[in-house]
Amino acid sequence: MKKGVPALVLALALALTVPAWAAQDTPDNFVRSKTYAGQFSDLTPESTFYDNVAALYAYGLSVGKADGTFGLRDQLTVGQVVIFAGRIRSLYRTGDAEAGPGAYAAENEAAALRYLRYLQAEGVIGTELDESLSTPATRAQVAHVLANTLPEEALPPVHTDLVTQAYASRQFITDVTEYTPYYQDILTLYRTGVSVGSDAAGSFLPDQPITRGAAAAMLTRMVDPSLRATPDWDLGKESWSAQGAAMGDLVPLGTYIAAPATAAEIDESVRYMLASNQNTLVLQYPSLSVTSARRVMEAALAAVKTYCEQCYNTVNCTYSADGSITLTFSAASAGDQILTYRDAAMEAAIAVHDALWESGEITTSMSDYEKARVYFTWICDNCVYDYTAGDSSLSHIAYSLFENGTAVCDGYTGAYNLLLKLEGIDCTALSNNSHIWTVATLDGTDYHIDTTWGDSGPAPNYDYFAMTAEESWQHHSW
């Protein structure tokens, strides 16, 4: 201790030398340190985002534009999103919005770069936005940055079940699918109350640019729990019921290609047909021979069989030498009644789906893996293998499993895939020369599932549920 300096005075002096950002990793650092008093000339109490923009100023996250406005309707660039996110991250971690990014500052460079490097060093984002800083930010890009800016203890999910149920039922957030860039980050914003969408249906508009006003709403909800939003969505039975689903809804829409030359192009045209709830595909090649027509027919049938829930396993082909070929799909023994069988299979599958939800055997809190296991069990408990089935038996399609309780492998797989797809689980069928089974994506991981062999004993054999590709290969190569 310095001679002659009272202990209390010295302690106070030392305390004053500790920087304000000494508080580490706490939402308590989010404090309204300033008072908004009309600093932005384009912001009035009647403005749509008044409370949010005023809060953004009060939390020290924005001082507006050089002309004294906030720019409510101006588009936000990716770089500006990165700056805001960097400030929020730094404020949470240090108590100072600029301390974290400041450590990455360099002379004569765009301001956004220091915030970008800071967020990258913190593991918030990678390099995927490096070349986009000056471009208008899409709402999906905003979600990608913001969803990872704060840890869960600072931004906890509070609407998980509601959002999961709304999204899975396709009643709300319908413009976001698993094919939407950063869709998981978008859903995180809904679950944490940072977003409730842009309309009554909760639409996120992922590809649209975002205004500074709308961004202010999201940013301030991150730091201020009192501003977080709760979706006003009415979810009753309709939220989980599969009523109204059609076979075509279960197939991702393909693009019609008149003369498909590769397996991928044939799959596109087949999916276009299936998603349109049609069973006839007309193609046009420059010319056709018996050999080339057969090749097209066999390739199209192979593609259709990967969507075995559709109940098609045969094809009739007519063609002419000038290159026109018509492929009409059906099922053995179904003939002109194929549409009746398909409708009956769908109706029965919907009844099973809804009954499992109504009974509580499937709930919104369950993972894809858990739901797929429930359906695996149901299939095994409600079907027996049809050892008498010939090539023309209806046991080769899902209809027989649901209506008769009998099936062979393609009937098992078709029925199981139908149930999974009603649940929104992406799956397909994989086959070799003598067998067919399911490949499903459960919670982001691909698994092989063989309901036929799973039903080979008195109780379901879960050795055939959720196999890795290597495990599946040991049972049936392809």
Side-chain angles (χ1 to χ4, degrees):
M1 181 179 296
K2 293 182 180 180
K3 186 177 181 180
V5 180
L8 179 59
V9 173
L10 180 58
L12 290 172
L14 288 172
L16 291 174
T17 65
V18 177
W21 43 265
Q24 296 292 308
D25 296 352
T26 173
D28 292 341
N29 288 333
F30 297 136
V31 177
R32 297 197 185 207
S33 57
K34 299 192 293 184
T35 301
Y36 179 76
Q39 283 83 354
F40 304 137
S41 61
D42 61 339
L43 184 70
T44 68
E46 291 74 32
S47 299
T48 302
F49 299 106
Y50 176 84
D51 290 339
N52 301 103
V53 175
L56 203 65
Y57 175 86
Y59 281 106
L61 296 172
S62 177
V63 294
K65 303 177 71 173
D67 63 359
T69 66
F70 179 76
L72 284 169
R73 295 181 177 84
D74 294 350
Q75 291 183 358
L76 201 68
T77 67
V78 172
Q80 290 167 337
V81 175
V82 166
I83 290 173
F84 279 124
R87 288 172 179 165
I88 290 175
R89 177 77 177 188
S90 180
L91 190 58
Y92 167 77
R93 301 245 21 224
T94 71
D96 186 323
E98 302 296 339
Y104 296 87
E107 293 184 3
N108 301 319
E109 69 172 8
L113 290 175
R114 72 184 65 171
Y115 298 89
L116 177 67
R117 286 193 290 268
Y118 172 61
L119 291 178
Q120 289 170 338
E122 291 284 301
V124 173
I125 55 175
T127 59
E128 61 275 6
L129 300 178
D130 284 9
E131 306 301 320
S132 307
L133 296 180
S134 61
T135 62
T138 66
R139 292 171 63 87
Q141 289 173 323
V142 173
H144 177 52
V145 177
L146 298 189
N148 300 287
T149 296
L150 293 175
E152 188 172 300
E153 56 264 33
L155 189 62
V158 291
H159 307 308
T160 298
D161 286 348
L162 176 63
V163 172
T164 299
Q165 197 173 348
Y167 175 73
S169 70
R170 308 311 297 151
Q171 285 186 277
F172 298 92
I173 328 178
T174 56
D175 61 344
V176 176
T177 73
E178 61 184 290
Y179 303 105
T180 302
Y182 310 126
Y183 81 99
Q184 290 287 11
D185 296 324
I186 293 171
L187 295 180
T188 293
L189 297 193
Y190 284 87
R191 292 179 179 122
T192 54
V194 172
S195 177
V196 290
S198 301
D199 54 29
S203 303
F204 191 75
L205 311 178
D207 298 326
Q208 297 297 312
I210 191 168
T211 65
R212 287 169 59 87
M218 293 186 186
L219 293 165
T220 51
R221 288 169 186 161
M222 292 180 67
V223 301
D224 190 337
S226 71
L227 295 175
R228 289 173 195 161
T230 299
D232 183 18
W233 298 335
D234 182 15
L235 292 172
K237 176 179 179 180
E238 294 76 12
S239 65
W240 49 256
S241 174
Q243 291 294 328
M247 284 286 191
D249 299 335
L250 307 182
V251 180
L253 179 63
T255 301
Y256 175 72
I257 301 174
T262 66
E265 290 181 346
I266 289 174
D267 182 70
E268 285 284 345
S269 291
V270 164
R271 285 192 287 110
Y272 179 86
M273 175 194 73
L274 295 175
S276 302
N277 283 306
Q278 302 295 319
N279 70 327
T280 299
L281 180 62
V282 179
L283 304 175
Q284 182 67 53
Y285 291 88
S287 64
L288 285 170
S289 64
V290 173
T291 300
S292 58
R294 177 172 291 279
R295 188 180 302 118
V296 172
M297 179 183 69
E298 291 175 347
L301 183 58
V304 163
K305 286 183 176 180
T306 64
Y307 306 99
C308 59
E309 79 282 348
Q310 299 291 316
C311 296
Y312 296 131
N313 59 26
T314 65
V315 62
N316 179 61
C317 170
T318 60
Y319 76 97
S320 59
D322 67 359
S324 177
I325 182 169
T326 300
L327 303 170
T328 303
F329 298 90
S330 186
S333 296
D336 295 339
Q337 297 299 307
I338 183 58
L339 298 183
T340 299
Y341 288 126
R342 278 164 45 89
D343 288 345
M346 174 60 88
E347 183 179 350
I350 289 172
V352 171
H353 171 279
D354 285 8
L356 290 173
W357 274 91
E358 192 159 16
S359 69
E361 292 177 72
I362 293 180
T363 67
T364 57
S365 62
M366 295 172 68
S367 65
D368 288 346
Y369 185 99
E370 293 168 327
K371 292 175 183 176
R373 185 181 168 98
V374 171
Y375 287 115
F376 182 92
T377 303
W378 188 91
I379 290 283
C380 294
D381 286 346
N382 289 274
C383 187
V384 294
Y385 192 87
D386 187 357
Y387 289 99
T388 67
D391 291 343
S392 62
S393 172
L394 287 174
S395 287
H396 289 279
I397 61 175
Y399 165 83
S400 181
L401 186 146
F402 289 118
E403 295 296 327
N404 305 321
T406 60
V408 292
C409 58
D410 37 5
Y412 272 93
T413 304
Y416 185 61
N417 286 11
L418 179 49
L419 291 170
L420 292 188
K421 288 189 173 184
L422 285 176
E423 201 59 61
I425 294 174
D426 186 37
C427 62
T428 188
L430 183 62
S431 62
N432 56 25
N433 291 332
S434 61
H435 193 46
I436 188 168
W437 61 96
T438 298
V439 178
T441 303
L442 307 179
D443 308 305
T445 301
D446 289 342
Y447 294 100
H448 291 231
I449 304 171
D450 191 338
T451 49
T452 311
W453 289 12
D455 191 29
S456 57
N461 187 341
Y462 296 104
D463 288 344
Y464 298 105
F465 174 75
M467 296 176 286
T468 65
E470 292 76 17
E471 291 168 339
S472 180
W473 183 271
Q474 299 303 313
H475 298 295
H476 29 51
S477 58
W478 59 92

